[in-house]
């Protein structure tokens, strides 16, 4: 696969939502048909309203999917994706769809393939097709939650709900699965809740004073998950989904 770390790629694919239910030999064969893509930090991979005819699966690094207002400078981040995630799903429906941009947050390695390839797999592999449907449904649910947060909750509540989603069961962000937002700067966190850096900086400082959050070595950690849930007005099960 064009000088990619095969062991790392296979591990990511085996744990991904789309490929996890398939046999290893099948996954290896499918991965061999994909193109290796590498981008530096802060590279805009997909531009707003730009027709897209490929789907991308992340092997390492993170990307954010966001929409920007060039007049005000404000931005709203819809997703932060990490290894195993796919972006460009909406382009399968229509390559002209999408007013959002996709930008790398780290040095990124991804595998990509044209729509025809992904659609062919969905047509011939029921397990892959079902996984793609579930994956799309989760993304739609996340967007619905974001819309609800923006309409119904104040900024502190939105910030707390962001940490609930991404930190799941609380605890140390460095333990277990990688926390996608733990080391993001305040400005990026602000983009994820439709706010601005100065407001989020003040709210994070308040949560730190309350002993709910702490920041060590540039990474946020949740110290008091129960209090975080109360601030977030979170009445259902926690988790990023």
């Amino acid at each position: 696969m064009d000088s990619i770390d095969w062991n790392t790629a296979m591990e990511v694919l085996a744990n991904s939502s789309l490929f996890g239910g398939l046999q290893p030999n099948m996954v290896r064969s499918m991965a061999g048909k994909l193109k290796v893509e590498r981008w530096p930090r802060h590279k805009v991979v997909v531009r707003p309203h730009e027709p897209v005819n490929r789907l991308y699966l992340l092997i390492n690094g993170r990307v954010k999917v966001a929409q920007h207002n060039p007049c005000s400078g404000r931005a709203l981040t819809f997703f932060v994706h990490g290894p195993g995630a796919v972006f460009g799903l909406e382009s399968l429906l229509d390559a002209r769809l999408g007013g959002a941009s996709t930008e790398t947050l780290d040095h990124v390695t991804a595998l990509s393939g044209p729509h025809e390839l992904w659609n062919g797999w969905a047509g011939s592999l029921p397990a892959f097709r079902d996984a793609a449907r579930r994956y799309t449904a989760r993304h739609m649910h996340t967007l619905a939650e974001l819309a609800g947060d923006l309409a119904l909750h104040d900024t502190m509540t939105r910030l707390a709900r962001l940490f609930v989603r991404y930190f799941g069961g609380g605890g140390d962000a460095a333990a277990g699965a990688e926390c996608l937002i733990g080391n993001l700067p305040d400005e990026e966190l602000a983009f994820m809740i439709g706010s601005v850096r100065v407001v989020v900086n003040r709210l994070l400082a308040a949560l730190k004073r309350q002993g709910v959050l702490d920041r060590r070595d540039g990474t946020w950690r949740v110290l008091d998950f129960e209090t975080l849930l109360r601030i977030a007005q979170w009445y259902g099960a926690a988790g990023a989904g």
Side-chain angles (χ1 to χ4, degrees):
M1 283 197 303
D2 189 24
S3 73
I4 195 172
D5 185 326
W6 180 261
N7 291 330
T8 298
M10 287 300 296
E11 182 178 354
V12 170
L13 291 171
N15 291 301
S16 72
S17 298
L18 289 183
F19 292 89
L22 302 177
Q23 294 296 320
N25 287 343
M26 176 63 71
V27 174
R28 185 181 296 268
S29 173
M30 295 167 75
K33 295 179 173 63
L34 298 172
K35 177 185 176 182
V36 177
E37 309 265 8
R38 287 189 174 86
W39 304 294
R41 293 181 62 198
H42 305 308
K43 167 72 175 178
V44 177
V45 179
V46 178
R47 299 186 180 279
H49 306 292
E50 181 179 71
V52 179
N53 59 10
R54 302 183 74 82
L55 219 62
Y56 301 87
L57 188 144
L58 288 168
I59 298 301
N60 58 49
R62 298 167 297 174
V63 301
K64 68 172 182 177
V65 180
Q67 195 159 23
H68 300 260
N69 184 326
C71 298
S72 67
R74 297 286 293 270
L76 178 63
T77 296
F78 303 122
F79 302 105
V80 172
H81 292 314
V86 170
F87 63 94
L89 270 175
E90 70 283 349
S91 68
L92 277 177
L93 304 174
D94 188 332
R96 298 167 297 179
L97 285 178
S101 64
T102 302
E103 179 184 347
T104 62
L105 295 172
D106 311 301
H107 292 279
V108 166
T109 302
L111 299 176
S112 76
H115 289 168
E116 295 78 10
L117 183 62
W118 296 89
N119 283 325
W121 290 339
S124 60
L125 299 171
F128 182 84
R129 179 173 62 249
D130 292 344
R133 287 173 176 168
R134 291 192 297 270
Y135 192 86
T136 303
R138 286 198 299 273
H139 275 62
M140 296 299 293
H141 178 70
T142 299
L143 287 173
E145 282 194 332
L146 176 59
D149 284 357
L150 292 171
L152 301 174
H153 298 298
D154 61 26
T155 310
M156 174 60 95
T157 305
R158 298 201 306 270
L159 181 62
R161 290 173 73 86
L162 176 71
F163 274 86
V164 169
R165 287 194 183 97
Y166 279 86
F167 280 72
D172 193 329
E178 176 188 6
C179 177
L180 295 177
I181 69 167
N183 66 349
L184 290 181
D186 294 354
E187 184 176 41
E188 291 291 350
L189 296 176
F191 290 159
M192 299 187 75
I193 61 171
S195 185
V196 293
R197 181 192 58 78
V198 64
V199 173
V200 167
N201 181 266
R202 173 170 51 83
L203 297 177
L204 287 169
L207 291 171
K208 188 174 180 179
R209 286 195 303 272
Q210 295 174 46
V212 176
L213 301 180
D214 189 25
R215 195 173 209 168
R216 301 173 193 165
D217 301 323
T219 298
W220 285 105
R221 291 164 171 81
V222 177
L223 303 182
D224 186 348
F225 199 69
E226 291 303 317
T227 298
L228 184 68
L229 285 171
R230 288 196 295 273
I231 296 170
Q233 301 176 28
W234 197 281
Y235 305 111

